Amino acid sequence: MSVTDSWQEFAASAARQAGNLHVASVSDKVRELHLRIRERYPSISRIAVALYDPQMRRLKTFVASNEPGITPLNGYECAIDSVPSLLAIAESGQARVINDLGSLPVSDTTHSRWLHHEGFLSSLTLPIRREDQLLGFLFFDARERDVFTDPVVADLLLYGHLIGMIVTQELATVQMLVGGLRLASQFAHVRDLETGAHLDRMARYSRLIAREIGPAHGKTDDYAENIFLFSALHDIGKVGVPDRILLKPGKLDDAEREEMRRHVIVGLQMAERLISDFGLASLSNIDMLRNIVSAHHERMDGSGYPHGLAGDAIPLEARIVATADVFDALACARSYKPAWTLGNAFEEIRRMSGTQLYAPTVEALLDCREEVEAIYQRFQDAKLEA
């Protein structure tokens, strides 16, 4: 049985178990529910969801619905260990009500200062869990004191459960897609280095870049999260590349290079098949996956492949992933080269900025060097076999 046949059998089996899942935008659903809640409780001026990354032990803003006049808190991340109150909520699994935020000292955190600046005076915080796994937190905020009485909290717990289900379903659906393709890749190439720490690093580099440049492109935090989830599948088509090429210790010849480049087309075919088998065509932002797989090897000057796209013709998410992928490829060892130092990798993407790589994505990575270094240290490659 060929690699493609094995993968198709795996995808079909997974699809039969999953059934058809159709997920609309989480942002749109949260905004819709917020409108309904405000019909009953007009003082609740904000609903927001923050997601938890257990590997980095960090919280990050995801979606929010704000009444007019509130300055959104976008692109914010913090270590969960720096917020003991949220750790306590995560451990207890219970809601937390604060009906007079003004009586509490303003801590020296971006979030605390933002709450104070925007005039929030009471809040309800709920943990979002899937079985025993913490996914994040749901926040209801008001600009009045004593909003969250026992009857109000009892009502909002029902809405909170619904919002939690929406977030859980969205993440579970995308993670099922990502996990299915990554597992298929691992079955096909257990020695492929790109199924390991490389994917963990470059997915987080991609999210970091998206977080930094997203607002200038009209993108919100859920865009960055989808970048994080989908970017790990950028080279899924390499399951169809023979090991003699994929793991060749020397330079590829012209024929081998052409065969390697076919992984983009194969990857897009695999993604389309899984989207169809899982019934995910209506999943919000699914085109981001298609764009990442098909265009992350395109270059700003038109020198990339497979279509020779240039400039703005390359989808933004593909430009983001391209920079993250190139940077990490430079900084980690391959069968054909040793790892570069991070300093040299930074200098090389700076050299490529504006010609091959999208300049704002390079600038974002350079501006967040401390976070890049933390990700690099957290996800280390296994040593190459001799």
Side-chain angles (χ1 to χ4, degrees):
M1 182 180 291
S2 70
V3 168
T4 303
D5 289 339
S6 298
W7 175 83
Q8 289 176 346
E9 181 180 340
F10 167 80
S13 173
R16 286 193 295 271
Q17 296 177 42
N20 287 333
L21 295 173
H22 298 279
V23 184
S25 165
V26 173
S27 296
D28 290 341
K29 286 184 173 288
V30 170
R31 281 192 291 268
E32 180 182 344
L33 286 171
H34 190 194
L35 289 174
R36 295 184 185 180
I37 290 170
R38 281 177 59 80
E39 290 175 359
R40 300 189 63 180
Y41 309 111
S43 57
I44 297 177
S45 51
R46 177 178 182 258
I47 299 176
V49 175
L51 295 183
Y52 175 56
D53 180 347
Q55 292 176 297
M56 296 296 291
R57 292 188 62 80
R58 293 184 70 80
L59 295 170
K60 51 190 180 297
T61 50
F62 179 45
V63 296
S65 175
N66 301 295
E67 72 175 8
I70 293 177
T71 303
L73 179 66
N74 293 328
Y76 176 65
E77 293 189 20
C78 70
I80 192 172
D81 297 309
S82 68
V83 193
S85 59
L86 292 182
L87 272 176
I89 295 172
E91 291 171 0
S92 69
Q94 301 299 310
R96 180 195 68 180
V97 175
I98 300 178
N99 269 318
D100 188 3
L101 286 168
S103 66
L104 301 178
V106 179
S107 65
D108 189 27
T109 67
T110 298
H111 181 248
S112 180
R113 293 194 300 270
W114 177 82
L115 287 172
H116 180 73
H117 179 267
E118 295 298 322
F120 290 110
L121 294 174
S122 56
S123 72
L124 167 66
T125 305
L126 308 173
I128 301 175
R129 307 187 71 89
R130 182 170 59 212
E131 298 178 347
D132 293 331
Q133 179 185 6
L134 177 67
L135 296 182
F137 297 93
L138 171 62
F139 305 93
F140 296 89
D141 297 314
R143 286 171 152 173
E144 299 176 13
R145 293 181 175 86
D146 300 317
V147 168
F148 299 100
T149 62
D150 289 346
V152 173
V153 169
D155 201 5
L156 291 178
L157 287 177
L158 297 177
Y159 282 103
H161 180 66
L162 179 57
I163 294 172
M165 288 177 59
I166 291 169
V167 172
T168 299
Q169 185 183 30
E170 167 95 351
L171 295 178
T173 303
V174 175
Q175 287 167 352
M176 175 179 61
L177 172 64
V178 173
L181 284 170
R182 288 186 68 170
L183 185 58
S185 175
Q186 289 168 344
F187 282 156
H189 283 297
V190 295
R191 294 182 65 228
D192 183 358
L193 295 176
E194 295 200 356
T195 61
H198 166 68
L199 298 183
D200 291 316
R201 289 191 302 268
M202 65 84 57
R204 285 171 172 80
Y205 297 154
S206 296
R207 180 170 61 193
L208 187 157
I209 295 169
R211 183 194 76 196
E212 293 297 305
I213 74 170
H217 292 80
K219 306 298 184 182
T220 53
D221 291 332
D222 52 341
Y223 177 84
E225 190 63 22
N226 278 296
I227 288 273
F228 168 69
L229 293 169
F230 288 140
S231 60
L233 303 179
H234 66 295
D235 272 339
I236 188 62
K238 286 185 177 179
V239 301
V241 178
D243 279 354
R244 62 178 174 79
I245 295 177
L246 192 66
L247 302 176
K248 184 177 178 179
K251 185 177 180 180
L252 300 181
D253 61 32
D254 290 343
E256 291 169 334
R257 187 176 301 106
E258 189 63 29
E259 188 167 0
M260 172 69 88
R261 289 185 171 188
R262 286 194 65 254
H263 80 270
V264 174
I265 304 304
V266 173
L268 187 57
Q269 291 170 345
M270 292 174 65
E272 293 290 358
R273 175 63 185 271
L274 201 57
I275 289 168
S276 175
D277 285 346
F278 277 82
L280 300 178
S282 63
L283 181 68
S284 63
N285 298 315
I286 195 64
D287 281 343
M288 290 175 62
L289 171 61
R290 296 184 174 103
N291 292 338
I292 287 169
V293 172
S294 65
H296 71 280
H297 284 296
E298 303 288 359
R299 294 294 179 258
M300 294 300 291
D301 59 5
S303 63
Y305 65 91
H307 300 300
L309 301 179
D312 290 343
I314 305 170
L316 178 62
E317 49 268 23
R319 286 177 262 164
I320 289 171
V321 171
T323 297
D325 188 36
V326 167
F327 176 79
D328 196 67
L330 292 169
C332 65
R334 287 289 184 262
S335 59
Y336 54 87
K337 74 167 190 69
W340 290 27
T341 66
L342 287 183
N344 287 341
F346 277 120
E347 286 305 311
E348 180 63 11
I349 64 168
R350 191 195 303 273
R351 184 189 67 79
M352 299 171 70
S353 177
T355 53
Q356 297 185 61
L357 302 177
Y358 184 44
T361 64
V362 174
E363 183 179 352
L365 214 55
L366 293 171
D367 288 345
C368 298
R369 183 163 181 158
E370 185 175 328
E371 291 178 75
V372 170
E373 291 174 349
I375 292 168
Y376 178 80
Q377 294 299 329
R378 171 63 181 82
F379 300 98
Q380 287 291 302
D381 290 308
K383 292 186 181 297
L384 291 171
E385 297 179 4

